[in-house]
Amino acid sequence: MSSAATIGLTCRSTYSGKGQAMQNLMVDFIISLDGYGAAEGWPGYWGLEGPEYLGWLEEQEEHTALMGATTYRVMSGFAADMPDEFAGLTAMPKVVFSSTLEAPLSWANTELVDEDSVEAVRAMKRDETRPLRTLGSLTLCRALLRAGLVDRFRVVVFPVITGATGRDRIFDGYPDVALEMVDSRIFDGRLQLLEYAPTVLDGPPLANQPND
C-alpha cells in the first residue's frame, strides 16, 4: 500500500505582504490510527474505502500535485500498470522535486524540478494558477511545513492500528505544530477526515508565554 495516496483541494487563497494573491498549499495524508501512511501486506486504503469516500475523491477540484522521487517512482509505476484507475492522476499537472531523476519523465504531465524544493514551492505559490497539493512524500512535506508554506494540513484517519506491519510514520521528525480545526466529516460511517490550519511552534505554547 503506497503512503498518502489521496489528494483533495482547498479553495481559499492567501496573500503576500505586497497584496499579491498566492495559491493555497495543502499537505494531505491518509493514515492509520497510530500514524502510519502504509503497512506491509495490507491492501490499498487498508481495504476500507467505501462509496461515499471514493465519490468524494472524484469530486475534488483541479490542482497541481507535488511529490518527491520515491513517491513518483511508486505512483508512476501504478499508473503504468493500471492506466484506467490512474487516468485522473495521469491527466493532472504534477511536479516532482528530485536531484536523482532525469528529464524527460515518462509519466505524462509531470515536470521535474531539481532546485531547492522550499524555494521552488515558494515561487509556485506566487505564480501558479491552481492550488497546490502534496502527494505522499514525507520528507518534502516536513520541509514545506517547517518553512511555513503549508496553509492546510489534512488527514483521513482509517480505523486500523498497524503497529506490527506499519511503515512510513507520518509525523516522525516534525516540529511542534499547533492545529486549528477548520473542517471534519465522516465517510461511510468509519473514515474520519480532519482538516487543520497549521502553525509551526518554537516549542510548547506555555514556554512562549511571558512570566507574570
Side-chain angles (χ1 to χ4, degrees):
M1 175 179 171
S2 70
S3 63
T6 63
I7 44 187
L9 172 79
T10 184
C11 298
R12 195 184 65 153
S13 293
T14 57
Y15 290 83
S16 69
K18 298 180 180 179
Q20 180 181 8
M22 298 182 70
Q23 286 299 338
N24 198 290
L25 169 62
M26 177 181 281
V27 164
D28 200 6
F29 287 122
I30 63 171
I31 65 172
S32 63
L33 184 61
D34 51 342
Y36 286 97
E40 296 292 344
W42 288 72
Y45 300 115
W46 289 276
L48 294 173
E49 73 276 19
E52 187 177 4
Y53 176 62
L54 294 176
W56 174 78
L57 291 179
E58 292 293 327
E59 295 169 358
Q60 301 308 298
E61 298 183 42
E62 293 182 347
H63 59 275
T64 298
L66 312 180
M67 70 191 82
T70 299
T71 297
Y72 171 80
R73 291 185 180 100
V74 171
M75 299 304 291
S76 62
F78 287 159
D81 293 339
M82 298 176 286
D84 293 339
E85 291 85 340
F86 283 81
L89 190 53
T90 296
M92 180 185 303
K94 300 171 288 295
V95 177
V96 180
F97 299 96
S98 173
S99 60
T100 59
L101 296 173
E102 295 184 359
L105 298 176
S106 60
W107 199 6
N109 303 306
T110 306
E111 176 187 358
L112 176 63
V113 175
D114 61 3
E115 62 189 85
D116 179 74
S117 60
V118 168
E119 293 307 314
V121 171
R122 198 186 307 276
M124 291 177 69
K125 289 188 58 141
R126 182 183 64 244
D127 300 334
E128 277 286 315
T129 60
R130 299 169 182 248
L132 308 174
R133 180 67 48 81
T134 60
L135 178 64
S137 309
L138 304 188
T139 300
L140 174 65
C141 292
R142 280 195 298 267
L144 297 178
L145 185 69
R146 285 184 177 276
L149 295 177
V150 177
D151 303 292
R152 288 289 184 269
F153 193 94
R154 185 167 69 184
V155 298
V156 176
V157 182
F158 283 67
V160 294
I161 294 174
T162 55
T165 57
R167 58 181 176 84
D168 298 336
R169 287 177 59 87
I170 298 295
F171 306 114
D172 283 358
Y174 268 54
D176 289 351
V177 182
L179 299 170
E180 177 186 356
M181 182 173 285
V182 295
D183 193 16
S184 66
R185 63 179 294 182
I186 303 294
F187 298 110
D188 303 298
R190 57 180 179 265
L191 310 181
Q192 185 174 14
L193 177 148
L194 302 168
E195 183 177 333
Y196 301 97
T199 300
V200 178
L201 305 176
D202 293 330
L206 292 179
N208 296 326
Q209 298 299 318
N211 294 327
D212 293 333

PDB file of all heavy atoms in Angstrom, residues 68-91:
ATOM      1  N   GLY A  68       7.976  13.912  -4.202  1.00  0.00           N
ATOM      2  CA  GLY A  68       9.387  13.619  -4.293  1.00  0.00           C
ATOM      3  C   GLY A  68       9.634  12.419  -5.187  1.00  0.00           C
ATOM      4  O   GLY A  68       8.707  11.812  -5.737  1.00  0.00           O
ATOM      5  N   ALA A  69      10.909  12.045  -5.303  1.00  0.00           N
ATOM      6  CA  ALA A  69      11.304  10.995  -6.244  1.00  0.00           C
ATOM      7  C   ALA A  69      10.722   9.637  -5.874  1.00  0.00           C
ATOM      8  O   ALA A  69      10.279   8.875  -6.745  1.00  0.00           O
ATOM      9  CB  ALA A  69      12.823  10.914  -6.329  1.00  0.00           C
ATOM     10  N   THR A  70      10.730   9.290  -4.585  1.00  0.00           N
ATOM     11  CA  THR A  70      10.227   7.970  -4.177  1.00  0.00           C
ATOM     12  C   THR A  70       8.754   7.821  -4.497  1.00  0.00           C
ATOM     13  O   THR A  70       8.322   6.805  -5.072  1.00  0.00           O
ATOM     14  CB  THR A  70      10.467   7.750  -2.677  1.00  0.00           C
ATOM     15  OG1 THR A  70      11.879   7.800  -2.414  1.00  0.00           O
ATOM     16  CG2 THR A  70       9.916   6.403  -2.237  1.00  0.00           C
ATOM     17  N   THR A  71       7.964   8.834  -4.150  1.00  0.00           N
ATOM     18  CA  THR A  71       6.532   8.775  -4.470  1.00  0.00           C
ATOM     19  C   THR A  71       6.320   8.731  -5.973  1.00  0.00           C
ATOM     20  O   THR A  71       5.451   8.002  -6.470  1.00  0.00           O
ATOM     21  CB  THR A  71       5.810   9.986  -3.859  1.00  0.00           C
ATOM     22  OG1 THR A  71       5.923   9.933  -2.440  1.00  0.00           O
ATOM     23  CG2 THR A  71       4.331   9.987  -4.234  1.00  0.00           C
ATOM     24  N   TYR A  72       7.111   9.492  -6.725  1.00  0.00           N
ATOM     25  CA  TYR A  72       6.978   9.466  -8.184  1.00  0.00           C
ATOM     26  C   TYR A  72       7.209   8.062  -8.723  1.00  0.00           C
ATOM     27  O   TYR A  72       6.429   7.579  -9.564  1.00  0.00           O
ATOM     28  CB  TYR A  72       7.957  10.439  -8.837  1.00  0.00           C
ATOM     29  CG  TYR A  72       7.999  10.273 -10.336  1.00  0.00           C
ATOM     30  CD1 TYR A  72       7.014  10.833 -11.137  1.00  0.00           C
ATOM     31  CD2 TYR A  72       8.997   9.506 -10.943  1.00  0.00           C
ATOM     32  CE1 TYR A  72       7.025  10.647 -12.510  1.00  0.00           C
ATOM     33  CE2 TYR A  72       9.016   9.322 -12.309  1.00  0.00           C
ATOM     34  CZ  TYR A  72       8.035   9.893 -13.091  1.00  0.00           C
ATOM     35  OH  TYR A  72       8.032   9.690 -14.447  1.00  0.00           O
ATOM     36  N   ARG A  73       8.251   7.405  -8.275  1.00  0.00           N
ATOM     37  CA  ARG A  73       8.551   6.065  -8.787  1.00  0.00           C
ATOM     38  C   ARG A  73       7.407   5.104  -8.486  1.00  0.00           C
ATOM     39  O   ARG A  73       7.021   4.293  -9.342  1.00  0.00           O
ATOM     40  CB  ARG A  73       9.852   5.563  -8.182  1.00  0.00           C
ATOM     41  CG  ARG A  73      11.100   6.316  -8.655  1.00  0.00           C
ATOM     42  CD  ARG A  73      12.368   5.684  -8.120  1.00  0.00           C
ATOM     43  NE  ARG A  73      13.560   6.392  -8.555  1.00  0.00           N
ATOM     44  CZ  ARG A  73      14.230   7.270  -7.811  1.00  0.00           C
ATOM     45  NH1 ARG A  73      13.814   7.531  -6.576  1.00  0.00           N
ATOM     46  NH2 ARG A  73      15.312   7.873  -8.281  1.00  0.00           N
ATOM     47  N   VAL A  74       6.863   5.180  -7.275  1.00  0.00           N
ATOM     48  CA  VAL A  74       5.774   4.272  -6.891  1.00  0.00           C
ATOM     49  C   VAL A  74       4.512   4.572  -7.694  1.00  0.00           C
ATOM     50  O   VAL A  74       3.904   3.678  -8.299  1.00  0.00           O
ATOM     51  CB  VAL A  74       5.497   4.380  -5.381  1.00  0.00           C
ATOM     52  CG1 VAL A  74       4.231   3.607  -5.007  1.00  0.00           C
ATOM     53  CG2 VAL A  74       6.687   3.854  -4.578  1.00  0.00           C
ATOM     54  N   MET A  75       4.104   5.837  -7.714  1.00  0.00           N
ATOM     55  CA  MET A  75       2.828   6.192  -8.325  1.00  0.00           C
ATOM     56  C   MET A  75       2.876   6.089  -9.847  1.00  0.00           C
ATOM     57  O   MET A  75       1.896   5.686 -10.474  1.00  0.00           O
ATOM     58  CB  MET A  75       2.428   7.599  -7.894  1.00  0.00           C
ATOM     59  CG  MET A  75       2.247   7.763  -6.387  1.00  0.00           C
ATOM     60  SD  MET A  75       1.064   6.602  -5.672  1.00  0.00           S
ATOM     61  CE  MET A  75      -0.463   7.200  -6.381  1.00  0.00           C
ATOM     62  N   SER A  76       3.997   6.435 -10.464  1.00  0.00           N
ATOM     63  CA  SER A  76       4.085   6.295 -11.915  1.00  0.00           C
ATOM     64  C   SER A  76       4.069   4.822 -12.315  1.00  0.00           C
ATOM     65  O   SER A  76       3.542   4.466 -13.378  1.00  0.00           O
ATOM     66  CB  SER A  76       5.346   6.979 -12.448  1.00  0.00           C
ATOM     67  OG  SER A  76       6.524   6.389 -11.915  1.00  0.00           O
ATOM     68  N   GLY A  77       4.633   3.965 -11.442  1.00  0.00           N
ATOM     69  CA  GLY A  77       4.558   2.529 -11.706  1.00  0.00           C
ATOM     70  C   GLY A  77       3.132   2.019 -11.644  1.00  0.00           C
ATOM     71  O   GLY A  77       2.709   1.225 -12.503  1.00  0.00           O
ATOM     72  N   PHE A  78       2.390   2.479 -10.633  1.00  0.00           N
ATOM     73  CA  PHE A  78       0.978   2.107 -10.546  1.00  0.00           C
ATOM     74  C   PHE A  78       0.224   2.586 -11.782  1.00  0.00           C
ATOM     75  O   PHE A  78      -0.621   1.866 -12.337  1.00  0.00           O
ATOM     76  CB  PHE A  78       0.335   2.716  -9.293  1.00  0.00           C
ATOM     77  CG  PHE A  78       0.743   2.078  -8.006  1.00  0.00           C
ATOM     78  CD1 PHE A  78       0.602   2.765  -6.813  1.00  0.00           C
ATOM     79  CD2 PHE A  78       1.257   0.795  -7.966  1.00  0.00           C
ATOM     80  CE1 PHE A  78       0.960   2.178  -5.611  1.00  0.00           C
ATOM     81  CE2 PHE A  78       1.629   0.195  -6.777  1.00  0.00           C
ATOM     82  CZ  PHE A  78       1.480   0.897  -5.593  1.00  0.00           C
ATOM     83  N   ALA A  79       0.497   3.818 -12.205  1.00  0.00           N
ATOM     84  CA  ALA A  79      -0.208   4.380 -13.361  1.00  0.00           C
ATOM     85  C   ALA A  79       0.088   3.603 -14.632  1.00  0.00           C
ATOM     86  O   ALA A  79      -0.788   3.443 -15.495  1.00  0.00           O
ATOM     87  CB  ALA A  79       0.168   5.847 -13.533  1.00  0.00           C
ATOM     88  N   ALA A  80       1.317   3.116 -14.762  1.00  0.00           N
ATOM     89  CA  ALA A  80       1.673   2.324 -15.940  1.00  0.00           C
ATOM     90  C   ALA A  80       0.983   0.966 -15.922  1.00  0.00           C
ATOM     91  O   ALA A  80       0.549   0.463 -16.971  1.00  0.00           O
ATOM     92  CB  ALA A  80       3.188   2.147 -16.007  1.00  0.00           C
ATOM     93  N   ASP A  81       0.852   0.367 -14.726  1.00  0.00           N
ATOM     94  CA  ASP A  81       0.235  -0.958 -14.613  1.00  0.00           C
ATOM     95  C   ASP A  81      -1.291  -0.906 -14.637  1.00  0.00           C
ATOM     96  O   ASP A  81      -1.936  -1.860 -15.076  1.00  0.00           O
ATOM     97  CB  ASP A  81       0.683  -1.626 -13.304  1.00  0.00           C
ATOM     98  CG  ASP A  81       2.167  -1.962 -13.302  1.00  0.00           C
ATOM     99  OD1 ASP A  81       2.755  -2.049 -14.398  1.00  0.00           O
ATOM    100  OD2 ASP A  81       2.733  -2.110 -12.205  1.00  0.00           O
ATOM    101  N   MET A  82      -1.873   0.207 -14.150  1.00  0.00           N
ATOM    102  CA  MET A  82      -3.334   0.332 -14.051  1.00  0.00           C
ATOM    103  C   MET A  82      -3.760   1.672 -14.645  1.00  0.00           C
ATOM    104  O   MET A  82      -4.197   2.572 -13.911  1.00  0.00           O
ATOM    105  CB  MET A  82      -3.762   0.218 -12.578  1.00  0.00           C
ATOM    106  CG  MET A  82      -3.417  -1.112 -11.940  1.00  0.00           C
ATOM    107  SD  MET A  82      -3.834  -1.176 -10.154  1.00  0.00           S
ATOM    108  CE  MET A  82      -2.516  -0.147  -9.487  1.00  0.00           C
ATOM    109  N   PRO A  83      -3.624   1.836 -15.953  1.00  0.00           N
ATOM    110  CA  PRO A  83      -3.868   3.154 -16.562  1.00  0.00           C
ATOM    111  C   PRO A  83      -5.284   3.675 -16.368  1.00  0.00           C
ATOM    112  O   PRO A  83      -5.473   4.887 -16.210  1.00  0.00           O
ATOM    113  CB  PRO A  83      -3.550   2.920 -18.038  1.00  0.00           C
ATOM    114  CG  PRO A  83      -3.640   1.433 -18.240  1.00  0.00           C
ATOM    115  CD  PRO A  83      -3.215   0.826 -16.946  1.00  0.00           C
ATOM    116  N   ASP A  84      -6.267   2.800 -16.388  1.00  0.00           N
ATOM    117  CA  ASP A  84      -7.641   3.269 -16.234  1.00  0.00           C
ATOM    118  C   ASP A  84      -7.887   3.805 -14.830  1.00  0.00           C
ATOM    119  O   ASP A  84      -8.513   4.860 -14.654  1.00  0.00           O
ATOM    120  CB  ASP A  84      -8.632   2.135 -16.530  1.00  0.00           C
ATOM    121  CG  ASP A  84      -8.614   1.718 -17.989  1.00  0.00           C
ATOM    122  OD1 ASP A  84      -8.155   2.526 -18.825  1.00  0.00           O
ATOM    123  OD2 ASP A  84      -9.040   0.588 -18.296  1.00  0.00           O
ATOM    124  N   GLU A  85      -7.398   3.090 -13.810  1.00  0.00           N
ATOM    125  CA  GLU A  85      -7.611   3.503 -12.436  1.00  0.00           C
ATOM    126  C   GLU A  85      -6.886   4.806 -12.114  1.00  0.00           C
ATOM    127  O   GLU A  85      -7.319   5.584 -11.260  1.00  0.00           O
ATOM    128  CB  GLU A  85      -7.148   2.417 -11.459  1.00  0.00           C
ATOM    129  CG  GLU A  85      -7.993   1.156 -11.455  1.00  0.00           C
ATOM    130  CD  GLU A  85      -7.581   0.161 -12.530  1.00  0.00           C
ATOM    131  OE1 GLU A  85      -6.917   0.575 -13.504  1.00  0.00           O
ATOM    132  OE2 GLU A  85      -7.909  -1.023 -12.391  1.00  0.00           O
ATOM    133  N   PHE A  86      -5.773   5.072 -12.798  1.00  0.00           N
ATOM    134  CA  PHE A  86      -4.969   6.257 -12.506  1.00  0.00           C
ATOM    135  C   PHE A  86      -5.085   7.318 -13.592  1.00  0.00           C
ATOM    136  O   PHE A  86      -4.257   8.228 -13.653  1.00  0.00           O
ATOM    137  CB  PHE A  86      -3.506   5.851 -12.311  1.00  0.00           C
ATOM    138  CG  PHE A  86      -3.228   5.230 -10.979  1.00  0.00           C
ATOM    139  CD1 PHE A  86      -3.516   3.896 -10.750  1.00  0.00           C
ATOM    140  CD2 PHE A  86      -2.716   5.981  -9.937  1.00  0.00           C
ATOM    141  CE1 PHE A  86      -3.281   3.306  -9.512  1.00  0.00           C
ATOM    142  CE2 PHE A  86      -2.470   5.421  -8.702  1.00  0.00           C
ATOM    143  CZ  PHE A  86      -2.750   4.078  -8.475  1.00  0.00           C
ATOM    144  N   ALA A  87      -6.126   7.224 -14.413  1.00  0.00           N
ATOM    145  CA  ALA A  87      -6.262   8.174 -15.520  1.00  0.00           C
ATOM    146  C   ALA A  87      -6.383   9.611 -15.026  1.00  0.00           C
ATOM    147  O   ALA A  87      -5.811  10.535 -15.610  1.00  0.00           O
ATOM    148  CB  ALA A  87      -7.474   7.801 -16.373  1.00  0.00           C
ATOM    149  N   GLY A  88      -7.130   9.816 -13.952  1.00  0.00           N
ATOM    150  CA  GLY A  88      -7.296  11.170 -13.423  1.00  0.00           C
ATOM    151  C   GLY A  88      -5.988  11.760 -12.942  1.00  0.00           C
ATOM    152  O   GLY A  88      -5.678  12.929 -13.217  1.00  0.00           O
ATOM    153  N   LEU A  89      -5.203  10.966 -12.218  1.00  0.00           N
ATOM    154  CA  LEU A  89      -3.915  11.439 -11.730  1.00  0.00           C
ATOM    155  C   LEU A  89      -2.922  11.652 -12.874  1.00  0.00           C
ATOM    156  O   LEU A  89      -2.121  12.585 -12.846  1.00  0.00           O
ATOM    157  CB  LEU A  89      -3.351  10.454 -10.708  1.00  0.00           C
ATOM    158  CG  LEU A  89      -2.120  10.892  -9.917  1.00  0.00           C
ATOM    159  CD1 LEU A  89      -2.343  12.231  -9.244  1.00  0.00           C
ATOM    160  CD2 LEU A  89      -1.745   9.828  -8.895  1.00  0.00           C
ATOM    161  N   THR A  90      -2.991  10.797 -13.889  1.00  0.00           N
ATOM    162  CA  THR A  90      -2.116  10.966 -15.046  1.00  0.00           C
ATOM    163  C   THR A  90      -2.401  12.276 -15.767  1.00  0.00           C
ATOM    164  O   THR A  90      -1.481  12.975 -16.208  1.00  0.00           O
ATOM    165  CB  THR A  90      -2.271   9.774 -16.006  1.00  0.00           C
ATOM    166  OG1 THR A  90      -1.832   8.575 -15.345  1.00  0.00           O
ATOM    167  CG2 THR A  90      -1.461   9.981 -17.268  1.00  0.00           C
ATOM    168  N   ALA A  91      -3.680  12.637 -15.870  1.00  0.00           N
ATOM    169  CA  ALA A  91      -4.059  13.869 -16.570  1.00  0.00           C
ATOM    170  C   ALA A  91      -3.744  15.118 -15.764  1.00  0.00           C
ATOM    171  O   ALA A  91      -3.647  16.217 -16.320  1.00  0.00           O
ATOM    172  CB  ALA A  91      -5.547  13.826 -16.902  1.00  0.00           C
TER     173      ALA A  91
END
